[in-house]
Amino acid sequence: MKPDTLPTASSPATDSHFHTATEALLRPSGLDIGHLQGVIGNIMSHQVDYADLYFQYSRAESWGLEEGQVKSGHFSIDQGVGVRAVSGEKTAFAYSDDISLPALKQAANAARAIAALGEERQGQAVQRVNAPQLYLPQDPIASLGAEAKVRLLERLELYARKADPRITQVMASIAGEYEVIMVARHDGVMAADVRPLVRLSIQVIAEQNGRREQGSAGGGGRFDYRYFTDEVLQDYAQKAVHQALVNLEARPAPAGSMTVVLGPGWPGILLHEAIGHGLEGDFNRKGSSAFSNAIGQQVAAKGLTVVDDGTIINRRGSLNIDDEGNPTQRTVLIEDGILRGYLQDSLNARLMNMPLTGNARRESYAHIPMPRMTNTYMLNGNMAPEEIIKSVKRGLYAANFGGGQVDITSGKFVFSAAEAWMIEDGKLAYPVKGATLIGNGPDVLTRVSMIGNDMALDSGVGTCGKEGQSVPVGVGQPTLRIDGLTVGGTV
C-alpha cells in the first residue's frame, strides 16, 4: 500500500464510518494518510513513548419549549485536530481549529518539545481497527425538519398537560449531535467513528392548594430523532407528571441513620459517582483513590458485581472505539465483592503495567484523553424488589435522584433524592421531600445486604464531568437494600 492511499475496508461497518471520516476531515483540506504519517514521524524523531492525532468534526443543535412556544434554539459547527506526545508521565498537547498540513506541523512541533532529540524511528504500516458497529453512522440533525422538531416538542407538552389538570407549566427540550472522529497513532493504527447522539427532556410544574412541585423525565441514545415516537413521548410525559404529583403529597423527610432501598435504573448514578470514578486508572496510579492498591481484595459485599460496558447497542455511553482508537469492551471492575481491575487509557495502562480497557475519552479535539466510564452498572442479584421493600421495618425508598457530588480521595458523597418514600412495616407508606443520602462509597459497598433481580439501565440522560471535561455516559443497577446509611432530611 502506498503511503498516500486510503486503506480499503475489511468490514462494511468499519468502512462506512471510515469513509465518512476521511471525506469530512481529510479531503476538504487536501490531506491524506501519507501526510498524517509524516507528521507523526516528525513527532517520533524525538524520544516519545506515544503520539497520536485526533481529528473531529461536529454539528450540534438544541431547541427549547416553554409556555407553549419554542423560545430558544442553538446550532453550532466545530472542527479541529489535537496533537499529543507522551514521554514517561509527561504529556504535551497542542490543538488547532484549522485542519491543514501547516497547522498540523505547527502543532506537532509544539507537542514534541517535551522529549529529547532521539534517533529517527521507522514508520509503521497503516493498520485499520475493526470495531463492532454499535450504532448507525446517521445524522440526527438531518433526520427531521425544523417544523417537525417543533411539533415534536409541542406534542410532548400536550401529553403532559392532558395527563393531569394540576400541571401548570411545561418545559421541554431536544438536542442532537452529529460527530465524526478519526485517530491516527504512532504505531500505524488508524480508526474512525461516526457518533450520533440525541436527547429529549421534559420538566413539569404541578400546583395544588398553593403548593408547587416539579417532576422531570427524558431519554435518548445513539440514534436519530425518529426514535421519539408518540409512545415514547407519552411515556416521558407520564413519568414527569407522576413525579411532580407524588412530590405534591410529600411530607418533610426525616433525618438519621436508616435502611435505604435504591430503585433500579437511574439511581445507579450513585454507583457511578461514589464508586466508578474511584476505579479510573489515573486516580489509582497516583494513589489518590480510596481503591488504590486494592485489586484482589474484598471491597464490597458478596454477590455484588460491577461492570463498565461500552459495547451496548445504541446506548448513550457506548462507543465503537474510544478516543485513542481502541475498541471499547466490557470490563468487570468488582466481581462477587472482589476488586478485579481499573478503567484504563494508554498512558495509565502503560505506567501501571495493566491491560487497556478501551476507556480513553475526551470532550473534544481541544482536550487530552483520560480514563473515563462508559455505561457503568451493577449486575442482578436474586431478590424480587417487592421482597426487598417488604424486608424493611422502617426506612427510605429512593426511587429517583437529582444532583450529587463525591470526593474521589475520601469516597464521601452527598446525593439528593428527586422522588422518595418512607417505608413502614414493609410497605411504601408516604412520599417525602428533601431527603439527601450521605455516605462513603467504599463503605456503602459493604453495607449492601440485598440485591434485586430487576437491573435496569437509565433512559439515556447522563453526562459525566471530570477535570472540566464532559462526556455522555450511562448508568444502571437493580433494586438495592443498603443498611445503616445516613439520611439528611428536613425534620
Side-chain angles (χ1 to χ4, degrees), residues 344-402:
Q344 299 287 9
D345 62 352
S346 63
L347 184 150
N348 291 282
R350 174 174 55 83
L351 294 176
M352 297 177 73
N353 194 29
M354 297 183 73
L356 281 168
T357 60
N359 285 91
R361 305 193 65 186
R362 60 176 108 198
E363 180 177 321
S364 76
Y365 67 88
H367 300 81
I368 61 171
M370 297 180 288
R372 305 287 298 272
M373 287 172 276
T374 55
N375 304 297
T376 310
Y377 56 95
M378 186 184 299
L379 299 191
N380 269 331
N382 56 12
M383 298 296 299
E386 299 82 6
E387 291 300 313
I388 295 178
I389 293 174
K390 189 176 179 180
S391 72
V392 180
K393 178 70 175 175
R394 184 178 185 274
L396 183 81
Y397 176 68
N400 214 330
F401 277 129

Short mmCIF file of all heavy atoms in Angstrom, two decimals, residues 344-402:
data_model
loop_
_atom_site.label_atom_id
_atom_site.label_comp_id
_atom_site.label_asym_id
_atom_site.label_seq_id
_atom_site.Cartn_x
_atom_site.Cartn_y
_atom_site.Cartn_z
N GLN A 344 -8.88 1.95 32.09
CA GLN A 344 -7.58 2.43 31.65
C GLN A 344 -7.61 3.09 30.27
O GLN A 344 -8.36 2.70 29.38
CB GLN A 344 -6.58 1.26 31.58
CG GLN A 344 -6.34 0.55 32.90
CD GLN A 344 -5.51 1.35 33.89
OE1 GLN A 344 -5.24 2.53 33.68
NE2 GLN A 344 -5.09 0.73 34.98
N ASP A 345 -6.74 4.12 30.13
CA ASP A 345 -6.34 4.61 28.82
C ASP A 345 -4.91 4.14 28.60
O ASP A 345 -4.34 3.41 29.41
CB ASP A 345 -6.46 6.14 28.76
CG ASP A 345 -5.55 6.84 29.76
OD1 ASP A 345 -4.93 6.15 30.62
OD2 ASP A 345 -5.44 8.08 29.70
N SER A 346 -4.28 4.54 27.47
CA SER A 346 -2.96 4.01 27.14
C SER A 346 -1.88 4.47 28.11
O SER A 346 -1.01 3.69 28.51
CB SER A 346 -2.58 4.39 25.71
OG SER A 346 -2.47 5.81 25.58
N LEU A 347 -1.92 5.74 28.52
CA LEU A 347 -0.86 6.26 29.39
C LEU A 347 -0.87 5.54 30.73
O LEU A 347 0.17 5.06 31.21
CB LEU A 347 -1.05 7.77 29.59
CG LEU A 347 0.02 8.51 30.40
CD1 LEU A 347 0.15 9.95 29.93
CD2 LEU A 347 -0.31 8.51 31.90
N ASN A 348 -2.02 5.47 31.38
CA ASN A 348 -2.08 4.86 32.70
C ASN A 348 -1.91 3.35 32.65
O ASN A 348 -1.30 2.77 33.55
CB ASN A 348 -3.39 5.24 33.39
CG ASN A 348 -3.43 6.72 33.76
OD1 ASN A 348 -2.83 7.13 34.74
ND2 ASN A 348 -4.11 7.53 32.95
N ALA A 349 -2.40 2.69 31.60
CA ALA A 349 -2.20 1.25 31.46
C ALA A 349 -0.71 0.94 31.32
O ALA A 349 -0.21 -0.02 31.93
CB ALA A 349 -2.97 0.73 30.26
N ARG A 350 0.00 1.74 30.53
CA ARG A 350 1.44 1.52 30.34
C ARG A 350 2.20 1.74 31.64
O ARG A 350 3.04 0.92 32.02
CB ARG A 350 1.96 2.45 29.24
CG ARG A 350 3.48 2.41 29.06
CD ARG A 350 3.90 3.23 27.86
NE ARG A 350 3.41 4.60 27.92
CZ ARG A 350 4.02 5.57 28.61
NH1 ARG A 350 5.13 5.32 29.28
NH2 ARG A 350 3.53 6.79 28.61
N LEU A 351 1.90 2.82 32.34
CA LEU A 351 2.64 3.13 33.56
C LEU A 351 2.31 2.18 34.70
O LEU A 351 3.12 1.96 35.60
CB LEU A 351 2.37 4.57 33.98
CG LEU A 351 2.89 5.66 33.02
CD1 LEU A 351 2.46 7.04 33.50
CD2 LEU A 351 4.41 5.59 32.89
N MET A 352 1.11 1.62 34.68
CA MET A 352 0.70 0.68 35.74
C MET A 352 0.93 -0.77 35.33
O MET A 352 0.65 -1.68 36.13
CB MET A 352 -0.78 0.89 36.08
CG MET A 352 -1.10 2.26 36.64
SD MET A 352 -2.87 2.51 36.96
CE MET A 352 -3.10 1.48 38.43
N ASN A 353 1.39 -0.97 34.09
CA ASN A 353 1.62 -2.32 33.57
C ASN A 353 0.35 -3.16 33.65
O ASN A 353 0.35 -4.29 34.12
CB ASN A 353 2.76 -3.02 34.31
CG ASN A 353 3.25 -4.26 33.58
OD1 ASN A 353 3.17 -4.34 32.36
ND2 ASN A 353 3.76 -5.23 34.33
N MET A 354 -0.73 -2.55 33.18
CA MET A 354 -2.03 -3.22 33.20
C MET A 354 -2.62 -3.17 31.79
O MET A 354 -2.22 -2.33 30.97
CB MET A 354 -2.97 -2.55 34.20
CG MET A 354 -2.49 -2.63 35.64
SD MET A 354 -3.66 -1.89 36.82
CE MET A 354 -4.95 -3.13 36.79
N PRO A 355 -3.59 -4.03 31.47
CA PRO A 355 -4.16 -4.06 30.12
C PRO A 355 -5.04 -2.84 29.84
O PRO A 355 -5.66 -2.28 30.76
CB PRO A 355 -4.98 -5.35 30.10
CG PRO A 355 -5.29 -5.62 31.55
CD PRO A 355 -4.11 -5.12 32.32
N LEU A 356 -5.09 -2.47 28.57
CA LEU A 356 -6.02 -1.44 28.12
C LEU A 356 -7.45 -1.94 28.28
O LEU A 356 -7.72 -3.13 28.13
CB LEU A 356 -5.79 -1.10 26.65
CG LEU A 356 -4.62 -0.19 26.29
CD1 LEU A 356 -4.39 -0.23 24.79
CD2 LEU A 356 -4.90 1.24 26.73
N THR A 357 -8.37 -1.01 28.54
CA THR A 357 -9.77 -1.40 28.63
C THR A 357 -10.66 -0.64 27.65
O THR A 357 -11.87 -0.81 27.67
CB THR A 357 -10.31 -1.18 30.06
OG1 THR A 357 -10.19 0.21 30.40
CG2 THR A 357 -9.54 -2.02 31.07
N GLY A 358 -10.07 0.21 26.80
CA GLY A 358 -10.88 0.97 25.84
C GLY A 358 -11.69 2.08 26.48
O GLY A 358 -12.80 2.36 26.05
N ASN A 359 -11.13 2.73 27.51
CA ASN A 359 -11.87 3.77 28.24
C ASN A 359 -11.23 5.15 28.13
O ASN A 359 -11.47 6.00 28.99
CB ASN A 359 -11.99 3.39 29.72
CG ASN A 359 -13.02 2.30 29.95
OD1 ASN A 359 -12.69 1.11 29.95
ND2 ASN A 359 -14.26 2.69 30.14
N ALA A 360 -10.41 5.37 27.09
CA ALA A 360 -9.85 6.71 26.88
C ALA A 360 -10.93 7.59 26.25
O ALA A 360 -11.46 7.28 25.20
CB ALA A 360 -8.64 6.64 25.95
N ARG A 361 -11.25 8.71 26.92
CA ARG A 361 -12.30 9.58 26.41
C ARG A 361 -11.88 11.04 26.56
O ARG A 361 -11.14 11.40 27.48
CB ARG A 361 -13.61 9.33 27.17
CG ARG A 361 -14.06 7.88 27.15
CD ARG A 361 -15.48 7.73 27.63
NE ARG A 361 -16.42 8.38 26.73
CZ ARG A 361 -17.72 8.49 26.96
NH1 ARG A 361 -18.23 8.00 28.09
NH2 ARG A 361 -18.52 9.10 26.12
N ARG A 362 -12.36 11.86 25.64
CA ARG A 362 -12.10 13.31 25.70
C ARG A 362 -13.35 14.04 25.23
O ARG A 362 -14.12 13.52 24.43
CB ARG A 362 -10.89 13.67 24.85
CG ARG A 362 -10.98 13.33 23.40
CD ARG A 362 -9.75 13.84 22.66
NE ARG A 362 -8.84 12.78 22.25
CZ ARG A 362 -7.58 12.98 21.90
NH1 ARG A 362 -7.08 14.19 21.90
NH2 ARG A 362 -6.80 11.98 21.56
N GLU A 363 -13.50 15.26 25.72
CA GLU A 363 -14.67 16.05 25.35
C GLU A 363 -14.61 16.46 23.89
O GLU A 363 -15.62 16.48 23.18
CB GLU A 363 -14.79 17.27 26.24
CG GLU A 363 -15.99 18.16 25.93
CD GLU A 363 -16.13 19.33 26.89
OE1 GLU A 363 -15.88 19.15 28.09
OE2 GLU A 363 -16.50 20.42 26.42
N SER A 364 -13.42 16.83 23.42
CA SER A 364 -13.28 17.28 22.04
C SER A 364 -11.81 17.24 21.64
O SER A 364 -10.94 16.88 22.45
CB SER A 364 -13.81 18.71 21.87
OG SER A 364 -12.88 19.65 22.42
N TYR A 365 -11.53 17.65 20.40
CA TYR A 365 -10.15 17.69 19.91
C TYR A 365 -9.29 18.64 20.73
O TYR A 365 -8.06 18.55 20.70
CB TYR A 365 -10.13 18.12 18.45
CG TYR A 365 -10.57 19.55 18.22
CD1 TYR A 365 -9.66 20.60 18.27
CD2 TYR A 365 -11.91 19.86 17.95
CE1 TYR A 365 -10.07 21.91 18.07
CE2 TYR A 365 -12.32 21.17 17.76
CZ TYR A 365 -11.39 22.19 17.81
OH TYR A 365 -11.80 23.50 17.63
N ALA A 366 -9.90 19.56 21.47
CA ALA A 366 -9.15 20.54 22.26
C ALA A 366 -8.83 20.04 23.66
O ALA A 366 -8.37 20.82 24.51
CB ALA A 366 -9.92 21.85 22.34
N HIS A 367 -9.06 18.76 23.94
CA HIS A 367 -8.83 18.19 25.27
C HIS A 367 -8.01 16.91 25.16
O HIS A 367 -8.10 16.18 24.18
CB HIS A 367 -10.16 17.87 25.95
CG HIS A 367 -11.05 19.04 26.15
ND1 HIS A 367 -11.87 19.54 25.13
CD2 HIS A 367 -11.27 19.83 27.22
CE1 HIS A 367 -12.54 20.59 25.59
NE2 HIS A 367 -12.20 20.78 26.85
N ILE A 368 -7.23 16.63 26.21
CA ILE A 368 -6.49 15.37 26.24
C ILE A 368 -7.40 14.26 26.75
O ILE A 368 -8.33 14.50 27.53
CB ILE A 368 -5.24 15.47 27.14
CG1 ILE A 368 -5.62 15.79 28.59
CG2 ILE A 368 -4.27 16.50 26.59
CD1 ILE A 368 -4.45 15.69 29.55
N PRO A 369 -7.16 13.01 26.33
CA PRO A 369 -7.99 11.90 26.81
C PRO A 369 -7.60 11.50 28.23
O PRO A 369 -6.47 11.69 28.67
CB PRO A 369 -7.68 10.78 25.81
CG PRO A 369 -6.32 11.09 25.30
CD PRO A 369 -6.21 12.59 25.30
N MET A 370 -8.58 10.95 28.92
CA MET A 370 -8.40 10.43 30.28
C MET A 370 -9.20 9.15 30.40
O MET A 370 -10.14 8.92 29.62
CB MET A 370 -8.94 11.43 31.32
CG MET A 370 -8.25 12.77 31.37
SD MET A 370 -9.00 13.84 32.63
CE MET A 370 -10.56 14.25 31.86
N PRO A 371 -8.88 8.29 31.36
CA PRO A 371 -9.73 7.12 31.59
C PRO A 371 -11.07 7.56 32.17
O PRO A 371 -11.11 8.24 33.19
CB PRO A 371 -8.93 6.27 32.58
CG PRO A 371 -7.97 7.22 33.23
CD PRO A 371 -7.69 8.29 32.23
N ARG A 372 -12.14 7.18 31.48
CA ARG A 372 -13.49 7.60 31.87
C ARG A 372 -14.44 6.40 31.75
O ARG A 372 -14.23 5.49 30.96
CB ARG A 372 -14.01 8.72 30.96
CG ARG A 372 -13.12 9.96 30.85
CD ARG A 372 -13.15 10.80 32.11
NE ARG A 372 -14.47 11.31 32.40
CZ ARG A 372 -14.94 12.48 31.92
NH1 ARG A 372 -14.20 13.21 31.11
NH2 ARG A 372 -16.15 12.91 32.27
N MET A 373 -15.53 6.47 32.46
CA MET A 373 -16.57 5.44 32.37
C MET A 373 -17.35 5.57 31.06
O MET A 373 -17.37 6.62 30.43
CB MET A 373 -17.52 5.57 33.55
CG MET A 373 -16.95 5.09 34.87
SD MET A 373 -18.04 5.46 36.29
CE MET A 373 -17.54 7.16 36.64
N THR A 374 -18.01 4.47 30.67
CA THR A 374 -18.93 4.46 29.52
C THR A 374 -20.35 4.19 30.07
O THR A 374 -21.02 5.12 30.46
CB THR A 374 -18.50 3.40 28.48
OG1 THR A 374 -18.40 2.11 29.10
CG2 THR A 374 -17.16 3.78 27.86
N ASN A 375 -20.76 2.92 30.10
CA ASN A 375 -22.00 2.52 30.77
C ASN A 375 -21.61 1.68 31.98
O ASN A 375 -21.10 0.57 31.81
CB ASN A 375 -22.90 1.70 29.83
CG ASN A 375 -23.22 2.43 28.54
OD1 ASN A 375 -23.86 3.48 28.56
ND2 ASN A 375 -22.77 1.88 27.42
N THR A 376 -21.82 2.20 33.17
CA THR A 376 -21.38 1.52 34.38
C THR A 376 -22.60 1.07 35.18
O THR A 376 -23.47 1.88 35.47
CB THR A 376 -20.52 2.47 35.25
OG1 THR A 376 -19.51 3.06 34.42
CG2 THR A 376 -19.86 1.72 36.38
N TYR A 377 -22.65 -0.22 35.52
CA TYR A 377 -23.83 -0.72 36.19
C TYR A 377 -23.52 -1.94 37.05
O TYR A 377 -22.46 -2.58 36.91
CB TYR A 377 -24.94 -1.06 35.18
CG TYR A 377 -24.52 -2.04 34.10
CD1 TYR A 377 -24.78 -3.41 34.24
CD2 TYR A 377 -23.90 -1.61 32.94
CE1 TYR A 377 -24.42 -4.30 33.25
CE2 TYR A 377 -23.53 -2.50 31.94
CZ TYR A 377 -23.79 -3.84 32.10
OH TYR A 377 -23.42 -4.74 31.13
N MET A 378 -24.44 -2.25 37.95
CA MET A 378 -24.33 -3.42 38.82
C MET A 378 -25.21 -4.53 38.26
O MET A 378 -26.33 -4.28 37.81
CB MET A 378 -24.78 -3.05 40.24
CG MET A 378 -24.59 -4.15 41.26
SD MET A 378 -25.25 -3.69 42.90
CE MET A 378 -24.24 -2.26 43.27
N LEU A 379 -24.70 -5.76 38.31
CA LEU A 379 -25.46 -6.89 37.79
C LEU A 379 -26.56 -7.32 38.76
O LEU A 379 -26.55 -6.97 39.94
CB LEU A 379 -24.53 -8.06 37.51
CG LEU A 379 -23.41 -7.84 36.49
CD1 LEU A 379 -22.75 -9.17 36.15
CD2 LEU A 379 -23.93 -7.17 35.23
N ASN A 380 -27.48 -8.11 38.24
CA ASN A 380 -28.62 -8.60 39.02
C ASN A 380 -28.20 -9.48 40.18
O ASN A 380 -27.19 -10.20 40.12
CB ASN A 380 -29.56 -9.42 38.13
CG ASN A 380 -30.64 -8.57 37.50
OD1 ASN A 380 -31.05 -7.56 38.06
ND2 ASN A 380 -31.11 -9.00 36.33
N GLY A 381 -29.01 -9.42 41.24
CA GLY A 381 -28.95 -10.41 42.30
C GLY A 381 -30.10 -11.37 42.12
O GLY A 381 -30.59 -11.56 41.00
N ASN A 382 -30.59 -11.96 43.21
CA ASN A 382 -31.65 -12.96 43.08
C ASN A 382 -32.91 -12.62 43.87
O ASN A 382 -33.79 -13.46 44.04
CB ASN A 382 -31.14 -14.34 43.53
CG ASN A 382 -30.58 -14.31 44.95
OD1 ASN A 382 -30.78 -13.33 45.66
ND2 ASN A 382 -29.90 -15.38 45.34
N MET A 383 -33.03 -11.36 44.35
CA MET A 383 -34.18 -10.99 45.16
C MET A 383 -35.21 -10.22 44.33
O MET A 383 -34.86 -9.35 43.53
CB MET A 383 -33.75 -10.12 46.33
CG MET A 383 -32.81 -10.80 47.31
SD MET A 383 -33.57 -12.21 48.16
CE MET A 383 -34.93 -11.38 49.00
N ALA A 384 -36.48 -10.52 44.55
CA ALA A 384 -37.55 -9.73 43.94
C ALA A 384 -37.60 -8.36 44.64
O ALA A 384 -37.46 -8.29 45.86
CB ALA A 384 -38.89 -10.43 44.08
N PRO A 385 -37.78 -7.28 43.88
CA PRO A 385 -37.78 -5.95 44.51
C PRO A 385 -38.86 -5.81 45.58
O PRO A 385 -38.67 -5.13 46.59
CB PRO A 385 -38.02 -5.00 43.33
CG PRO A 385 -38.52 -5.85 42.21
CD PRO A 385 -37.92 -7.20 42.41
N GLU A 386 -40.01 -6.48 45.39
CA GLU A 386 -41.08 -6.41 46.39
C GLU A 386 -40.63 -7.03 47.71
O GLU A 386 -40.99 -6.54 48.80
CB GLU A 386 -42.32 -7.13 45.88
CG GLU A 386 -42.92 -6.55 44.60
CD GLU A 386 -42.20 -7.05 43.34
OE1 GLU A 386 -41.32 -7.94 43.47
OE2 GLU A 386 -42.52 -6.53 42.25
N GLU A 387 -39.85 -8.08 47.62
CA GLU A 387 -39.36 -8.74 48.83
C GLU A 387 -38.35 -7.86 49.57
O GLU A 387 -38.26 -7.89 50.79
CB GLU A 387 -38.73 -10.09 48.48
CG GLU A 387 -39.73 -11.14 48.01
CD GLU A 387 -40.77 -11.43 49.08
OE1 GLU A 387 -40.38 -11.62 50.26
OE2 GLU A 387 -41.97 -11.46 48.74
N ILE A 388 -37.57 -7.09 48.81
CA ILE A 388 -36.59 -6.20 49.43
C ILE A 388 -37.31 -5.13 50.25
O ILE A 388 -36.97 -4.87 51.41
CB ILE A 388 -35.67 -5.57 48.37
CG1 ILE A 388 -34.83 -6.66 47.70
CG2 ILE A 388 -34.76 -4.50 49.00
CD1 ILE A 388 -33.93 -6.15 46.60
N ILE A 389 -38.32 -4.51 49.66
CA ILE A 389 -39.08 -3.48 50.39
C ILE A 389 -39.81 -4.11 51.57
O ILE A 389 -39.85 -3.54 52.67
CB ILE A 389 -40.07 -2.78 49.43
CG1 ILE A 389 -39.30 -1.97 48.36
CG2 ILE A 389 -41.02 -1.87 50.20
CD1 ILE A 389 -40.17 -1.36 47.30
N LYS A 390 -40.35 -5.29 51.38
CA LYS A 390 -41.08 -5.97 52.44
C LYS A 390 -40.19 -6.29 53.64
O LYS A 390 -40.66 -6.40 54.77
CB LYS A 390 -41.69 -7.26 51.88
CG LYS A 390 -42.66 -7.96 52.80
CD LYS A 390 -43.27 -9.18 52.11
CE LYS A 390 -44.24 -9.91 53.04
NZ LYS A 390 -44.84 -11.09 52.36
N SER A 391 -38.88 -6.40 53.39
CA SER A 391 -37.96 -6.77 54.47
C SER A 391 -37.61 -5.61 55.39
O SER A 391 -36.97 -5.80 56.43
CB SER A 391 -36.66 -7.32 53.87
OG SER A 391 -35.88 -6.27 53.27
N VAL A 392 -38.02 -4.38 55.03
CA VAL A 392 -37.62 -3.19 55.77
C VAL A 392 -38.73 -2.78 56.74
O VAL A 392 -39.86 -2.51 56.33
CB VAL A 392 -37.30 -2.01 54.82
CG1 VAL A 392 -36.89 -0.77 55.61
CG2 VAL A 392 -36.19 -2.41 53.85
N LYS A 393 -38.41 -2.73 58.03
CA LYS A 393 -39.38 -2.30 59.03
C LYS A 393 -39.63 -0.80 58.93
O LYS A 393 -40.78 -0.34 58.90
CB LYS A 393 -38.84 -2.64 60.44
CG LYS A 393 -39.74 -2.21 61.58
CD LYS A 393 -41.01 -3.03 61.65
CE LYS A 393 -41.83 -2.67 62.88
NZ LYS A 393 -43.13 -3.38 62.91
N ARG A 394 -38.56 -0.02 58.89
CA ARG A 394 -38.67 1.43 58.72
C ARG A 394 -37.43 1.91 57.98
O ARG A 394 -36.30 1.61 58.37
CB ARG A 394 -38.79 2.16 60.05
CG ARG A 394 -38.99 3.67 59.90
CD ARG A 394 -39.17 4.35 61.26
NE ARG A 394 -39.48 5.77 61.10
CZ ARG A 394 -38.54 6.73 60.95
NH1 ARG A 394 -37.25 6.41 60.97
NH2 ARG A 394 -38.90 8.00 60.80
N GLY A 395 -37.65 2.65 56.90
CA GLY A 395 -36.52 3.12 56.10
C GLY A 395 -36.97 4.03 54.99
O GLY A 395 -38.12 4.50 54.97
N LEU A 396 -36.06 4.27 54.05
CA LEU A 396 -36.32 5.19 52.94
C LEU A 396 -36.18 4.45 51.61
O LEU A 396 -35.23 3.68 51.42
CB LEU A 396 -35.31 6.35 52.98
CG LEU A 396 -35.50 7.44 51.91
CD1 LEU A 396 -36.60 8.40 52.34
CD2 LEU A 396 -34.19 8.20 51.68
N TYR A 397 -37.12 4.69 50.70
CA TYR A 397 -37.02 4.17 49.33
C TYR A 397 -36.74 5.33 48.41
O TYR A 397 -37.57 6.25 48.27
CB TYR A 397 -38.32 3.46 48.91
CG TYR A 397 -38.30 3.00 47.48
CD1 TYR A 397 -37.46 1.97 47.06
CD2 TYR A 397 -39.13 3.58 46.53
CE1 TYR A 397 -37.44 1.53 45.74
CE2 TYR A 397 -39.14 3.15 45.21
CZ TYR A 397 -38.28 2.13 44.82
OH TYR A 397 -38.26 1.71 43.51
N ALA A 398 -35.57 5.36 47.79
CA ALA A 398 -35.19 6.41 46.84
C ALA A 398 -35.45 5.91 45.43
O ALA A 398 -34.71 5.09 44.90
CB ALA A 398 -33.72 6.79 47.02
N ALA A 399 -36.54 6.40 44.85
CA ALA A 399 -36.94 5.94 43.52
C ALA A 399 -36.19 6.65 42.41
O ALA A 399 -35.98 6.09 41.33
CB ALA A 399 -38.44 6.15 43.33
N ASN A 400 -35.76 7.90 42.68
CA ASN A 400 -35.08 8.68 41.65
C ASN A 400 -34.18 9.70 42.31
O ASN A 400 -34.44 10.14 43.43
CB ASN A 400 -36.09 9.38 40.73
CG ASN A 400 -35.60 9.46 39.30
OD1 ASN A 400 -34.40 9.52 39.05
ND2 ASN A 400 -36.52 9.47 38.35
N PHE A 401 -33.12 10.08 41.59
CA PHE A 401 -32.15 11.01 42.14
C PHE A 401 -32.11 12.31 41.35
O PHE A 401 -32.40 12.34 40.15
CB PHE A 401 -30.74 10.41 42.13
CG PHE A 401 -30.45 9.52 43.29
CD1 PHE A 401 -29.95 8.25 43.08
CD2 PHE A 401 -30.68 9.93 44.58
CE1 PHE A 401 -29.67 7.42 44.15
CE2 PHE A 401 -30.41 9.11 45.66
CZ PHE A 401 -29.91 7.85 45.44
N GLY A 402 -31.71 13.38 42.04
CA GLY A 402 -31.37 14.63 41.39
C GLY A 402 -29.86 14.73 41.30
O GLY A 402 -29.20 13.83 40.81
#
